[in-house]
Amino acid sequence: MTSLDEIADLATELTQLRKSVDEILQGTWSVERTRTLLDSPEPAFARQLWESVTELGWPDVLVSSASGGGAGTLRELCVLAEAAGAAAAPIPLAVAAAAGWCADRCAVGVSLLLPERAELGPNGISGVWPVVAYGAAATRLLVCAGSGKETVLGIVDPTGPGVHRTAVTPLDHNPAARIELVDSAISVLERGEHAARRHHRAVLRAQVAQVAELVGIASAANEAATAYAKLRVAFGRPIGTFQAIKHRLVDQRCAIEVGRALVNRAADAVGQDSTEATALTALAAFWAVDALRSVPEGAMQVFGGIAYTWEHHAHVHLRRAACAAAALGSRTQHRKVVADWLSARNPQGGSRIG
């Protein structure tokens, strides 16, 4: 059992980490730069920033020290992901870090973890992923194929034979792609049921970090709206004094804090390989899709008409929140996982989730 002193020490360490990360990002990135990328004909991917954070070891935070990584915890990755979300940094940190953990290799270029399994055939692996965020920029794909004892987990070269990538443009303009594998070669890292389990654990890590990123996006949107509400005057007083505005902003902040708490709980469960890891991750993802995604929408209501202009930053957070929520998968599926978990914990009382 973790003592109160250990909890306090952990909280202090994570707070210091967040402060350091915020200082780095504030000196290298801004929402304005992300909005500028949306004006560019090129996809919104901060390559120079990605190279910088790779040198700092952010994508390798979960990789073991024996392989040259940081040997850090999922909580630490979530701090990095939340800070990147708040800074509107267009980088694939969550999935790249999960891919690094899965392969236990440090980042070279852009490594992406594909969450859905491929089919394993006699001549290679096959599958289709309609929208893979940052898929057009990927230099390495971590793929799991097959089932049961026939499962394989390995690396696919996205430029290799049988790999077809078609660029797509999501709402946040990241270099996404439709990826299709047709009898593609795979460099196998692991086989059998252990491979399937490792892939599943990697997917959970990616999802928890993606929720943390959405917490950061929502927090930035809420803070910007709160600051505006203190300055914008209507009928002789700041609009932040109006009850409807106050309640909206407070409700948003509550949703953010609940989301952060769910991320921490899920991160601990996944890191400890708890039997409840899948359910707690689904609970965090459900909250992200159900509540956090709507925070930037509510922030736009506070800003009013100015938020609907291209020059304002509000739509940057809105776009990123929508894409981050979409990457987490189906709300219905997460809801089912949580409902089944709650029913098993309390078979007499049942469960009810909105």
Side-chain angles (χ1 to χ4, degrees):
M1 174 118 12
T2 305
S3 68
L4 292 178
D5 288 340
E6 290 174 328
I7 294 175
D9 290 342
L10 175 61
T12 300
E13 291 175 4
L14 294 177
T15 299
Q16 292 173 344
L17 175 61
R18 177 60 190 265
K19 182 179 179 180
S20 298
V21 172
D22 283 342
E23 289 176 354
I24 292 171
L25 288 173
Q26 287 170 6
T28 57
W29 201 255
S30 65
V31 180
E32 171 63 29
R33 296 187 67 177
T34 301
R35 190 188 66 76
T36 301
L37 286 178
L38 295 176
D39 271 329
S40 170
E42 299 297 321
F45 177 30
R47 292 184 181 275
Q48 187 173 356
L49 176 62
W50 180 247
E51 292 173 0
S52 297
V53 300
T54 298
E55 291 177 0
L56 292 172
W58 293 7
D60 308 327
V61 64
L62 301 182
V63 177
S64 67
S65 56
S67 297
T73 65
L74 186 52
R75 281 269 198 121
E76 291 173 312
L77 172 59
C78 288
V79 169
L80 298 175
E82 182 179 334
I91 55 176
L93 181 58
V95 288
W101 177 88
C102 190
D104 197 28
R105 298 184 183 183
C106 290
V108 177
V110 179
S111 299
L112 298 182
L113 175 73
L114 299 184
E116 295 84 11
R117 290 198 193 184
E119 296 179 0
L120 179 62
N123 300 317
I125 65 172
S126 301
V128 177
W129 294 263
V131 181
V132 177
Y134 296 89
T139 56
R140 182 167 61 185
L141 301 174
L142 266 291
V143 185
C144 188
S147 61
K149 295 182 179 179
E150 301 300 321
T151 302
V152 297
L153 174 65
I155 298 173
V156 173
D157 179 0
T159 63
V163 181
H164 306 282
R165 289 193 288 183
T166 305
V168 296
T169 304
L171 195 60
D172 66 353
H173 290 198
N174 81 75
R178 178 185 186 273
I179 296 180
E180 181 179 5
L181 306 181
V182 181
D183 292 334
S184 301
I186 182 171
S187 178
V188 178
L189 299 174
E190 198 168 356
R191 296 180 182 273
E193 296 178 357
H194 290 294
R197 179 164 179 75
R198 187 167 185 82
H199 177 258
H200 175 66
R201 293 172 66 194
V203 170
L204 294 182
R205 281 163 170 77
Q207 289 182 332
V208 174
Q210 285 172 325
V211 175
E213 182 178 355
L214 192 45
V215 169
I217 295 170
S219 182
N222 175 258
E223 289 176 5
T226 300
Y228 180 78
K230 294 177 181 179
L231 298 175
R232 178 72 167 91
V233 175
F235 303 106
R237 57 193 177 115
I239 64 172
T241 62
F242 298 150
Q243 189 177 59
I245 300 295
K246 286 192 293 186
H247 285 188
R248 181 184 294 275
L249 293 172
V250 170
D251 288 346
Q252 290 176 2
R253 176 51 57 183
C254 288
I256 293 165
E257 294 304 326
V258 169
R260 185 176 287 121
L262 292 175
V263 164
N264 290 338
R265 189 179 180 193
D268 289 342
V270 173
Q272 297 165 8
D273 199 20
S274 166
T275 56
E276 296 185 326
T278 299
L280 290 173
T281 300
L283 181 59
F286 176 85
W287 185 259
V289 176
D290 198 59
L292 293 177
R293 184 193 184 284
S294 64
V295 170
E297 298 174 4
M300 291 189 72
Q301 297 298 319
V302 174
F303 283 112
I306 191 174
Y308 294 87
T309 63
W310 186 258
E311 291 75 17
H312 200 271
H313 300 331
H315 69 89
V316 175
H317 300 305
L318 180 70
R319 290 165 179 269
R320 288 175 53 77
C323 291
L328 287 169
S330 167
R331 175 185 183 276
T332 301
Q333 181 58 36
H334 293 312
R335 180 183 183 279
K336 182 180 185 305
V337 172
V338 175
D340 291 345
W341 171 60
L342 293 176
S343 295
R345 284 168 60 92
N346 184 21
Q348 300 301 321
S351 63
R352 183 171 182 174
I353 304 177

